[in-house]
């Protein structure tokens, strides 16, 4: 490995650490929300728990936090919208796996691979609605002009 490749790898590792730290609170919030839901279907409940254990996307809310701070905002103020973003992204990942019929990623079963199309579709749809609901709730707290930009 060349020195340049080592530097790139080190920078990528450091960026990953920063994004993980900055996005952790939004992920924690999203996980708490979804795991506190009262779901009657045990299989769906189990599938949601499985997905949240296997899927740790903190990069996107981490980038949102950094962007907020870069324009002079309080990075912790976007944790709610980061959680909404995670549900929307999770929904997209699940639906993509269904469309592509991806049964494994990184050596582990996807939600589709482990629970099949129907359960994966239900969870993906639930995440979509949860993300849109959270985004709407967050936007209700904002001034009208900001609300319109986000929505």
């Amino acid at each position: 490995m060349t020195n340049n490749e080592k530097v790139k790898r080190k920078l990528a590792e450091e960026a990953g650490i920063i994004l993980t730290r900055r996005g952790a609170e939004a992920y924690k919030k999203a996980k708490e929300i979804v795991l506190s839901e009262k779901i009657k279907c045990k299989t769906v409940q189990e599938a949601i728990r499985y997905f949240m254990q296997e899927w740790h996307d903190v990069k996107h809310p981490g980038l949102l936090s950094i962007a907020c701070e870069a324009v002079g905002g309080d990075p912790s103020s976007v944790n709610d919208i980061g959680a909404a973003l995670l549900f929307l992204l999770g929904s997209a990942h699940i639906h993509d796996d269904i469309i592509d019929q991806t049964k494994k990623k990184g050596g582990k079963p996807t939600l589709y691979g482990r629970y099949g199309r129907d359960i994966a579709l239900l969870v993906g749809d639930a995440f979509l609605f949860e993300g849109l609901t959270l985004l709407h709730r967050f936007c209700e707290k904002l001034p009208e002009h900001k609300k319109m930009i986000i929505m």
Side-chain angles (χ1 to χ4, degrees), residues 37-130:
E37 294 284 338
K38 304 293 184 230
I39 300 167
K40 291 183 180 179
C41 178
K42 295 292 183 200
T43 307
V44 171
Q45 188 177 49
E46 182 185 308
I48 288 171
R49 288 183 186 283
Y50 175 77
F51 185 79
M52 293 307 291
Q53 284 178 306
E54 297 301 320
W55 188 66
H56 300 284
D57 185 351
V58 292
K59 296 180 296 291
H60 292 90
L63 285 170
L64 183 63
S65 169
I66 291 168
C68 179
E69 186 175 27
V71 296
D74 173 11
S76 66
S77 71
V78 293
N79 285 335
D80 288 342
I81 202 165
L85 179 64
L86 285 173
F87 283 115
L88 296 172
L89 291 165
S91 174
H93 281 282
I94 293 167
H95 286 118
D96 181 63
D97 289 344
I98 295 168
I99 291 166
D100 296 345
Q101 298 181 2
T102 304
K103 294 190 176 192
K104 283 192 172 194
K105 282 186 182 171
K108 294 187 177 187
T110 61
L111 196 69
Y112 166 74
R114 183 165 178 165
Y115 293 95
R117 181 182 57 96
D118 294 345
I119 295 295
L121 188 59
L122 286 172
V123 173
D125 288 354
F127 278 21
L128 177 63
F129 290 117
E130 188 69 45

